[in-house]
Amino acid sequence: MAKRFDDVMSRLGTGRWNLLHIISLSYCFSLTTYHTLGGAFLAPRVDYTCRRPEGAHDATAARAASTLFIPAGDNTSKEAKPECSYFVLSSSSGQVEEEPCAEWDFDNSTFSSTVGSEFQLACGWEYLRSTYQSIYMFGVTIGAPFNGVLADRYGRKVTVGVGFVAYAALAIGSSWIPNLSTLLFSRFPWAPSPHDTEAGYSWGPPKPNLNIC
């Protein structure tokens, strides 16, 4: 097998173009890695606390502040977490009641800004953090075979060129997306773009057969 491969390379020829080709492609493919694995850094799990309005308390403070505190099992949640709810004194009933938290403060000591902190993905919305990466990987799964078909029909050069331009445009444009729905939607067409190149080189038009004796 090694002898046959050496014969193929001898017929194709080698030179500086090999080195230039490998270096340029290695650089291009390395850029896509940051986004493929970026979910762990762009949407990590970070600690957060409820941003309680003025006059609100957590469960411990509310119990100490009022003898009319309603224990869990009446009108408070047994699974109530201090980061997901707070307690206020009801003006109508005079009792301390539980309210869901609407804003959170995130721990930015490790990551200065994340998808979770920017779009307030906490408590009941926290599952959208993993959705951010899942949509991207789903786009990779669907896009890679589809791009192979495009490379076979339109050629590798066109597929690679369009793939890199689309990838760059979507990657840069995502920095200014103002809402979470649009950001999640953009992750799907964004994902197949770098794989245009991989599919283009793997599934592109076949080379002429070389008859080696």
Side-chain angles (χ1 to χ4, degrees):
M1 180 63 72
K3 179 65 167 61
R4 290 178 60 84
F5 180 73
D6 290 341
D7 291 339
V8 171
M9 294 305 297
S10 297
R11 286 175 175 266
L12 291 177
T14 57
R16 293 182 180 178
W17 69 270
N18 297 88
L19 184 61
L20 178 62
H21 193 70
I22 292 173
I23 291 176
S24 60
L25 281 180
S26 298
Y27 173 73
C28 293
F29 285 130
S30 68
L31 298 179
T32 65
T33 305
Y34 298 117
H35 292 285
T36 302
L37 304 178
F41 304 96
L42 298 174
R45 170 67 172 90
V46 297
D47 294 331
Y48 53 86
T49 56
C50 178
R51 188 184 302 167
R52 297 190 296 267
E54 185 178 355
H57 307 279
D58 59 19
T60 302
R63 185 177 285 105
S66 174
T67 57
L68 297 176
F69 177 78
I70 306 298
D74 293 320
N75 70 334
T76 59
S77 171
K78 291 184 179 181
E79 291 82 19
K81 298 179 180 180
E83 64 269 21
C84 295
S85 63
Y86 58 88
F87 296 87
V88 293
L89 181 64
S90 173
S91 58
S92 58
S93 64
Q95 297 177 337
V96 176
E97 297 179 350
E98 179 186 9
E99 296 290 340
C101 189
E103 295 182 302
W104 295 267
D105 293 313
F106 288 80
D107 180 9
N108 295 326
S109 58
T110 303
F111 301 96
S112 60
S113 178
T114 66
V115 173
S117 61
E118 183 172 349
F119 296 105
Q120 296 284 292
L121 303 183
C123 297
W125 300 101
E126 195 169 358
Y127 73 94
L128 291 175
R129 288 189 308 101
S130 58
T131 303
Y132 176 81
Q133 182 67 4
S134 298
I135 292 177
Y136 184 90
M137 298 311 297
F138 182 68
V140 170
T141 304
I142 299 298
F146 179 71
N147 290 331
V149 176
L150 294 179
D152 187 46
R153 169 170 291 189
Y154 299 107
R156 301 177 183 181
K157 184 176 181 179
V158 173
T159 307
V160 171
V162 172
F164 274 124
V165 171
Y167 185 81
L170 288 168
I172 295 173
S174 66
S175 302
W176 287 276
I177 292 178
N179 58 76
L180 181 62
S181 298
T182 306
L183 178 62
L184 293 178
F185 179 79
S186 70
R187 293 285 284 177
F188 182 80
W190 181 4
S193 299
H195 299 279
D196 287 343
T197 57
E198 298 172 15
Y201 275 90
S202 300
W203 292 12
K207 298 282 188 179
N209 292 328
L210 297 177
N211 298 319
I212 301 175
C213 298

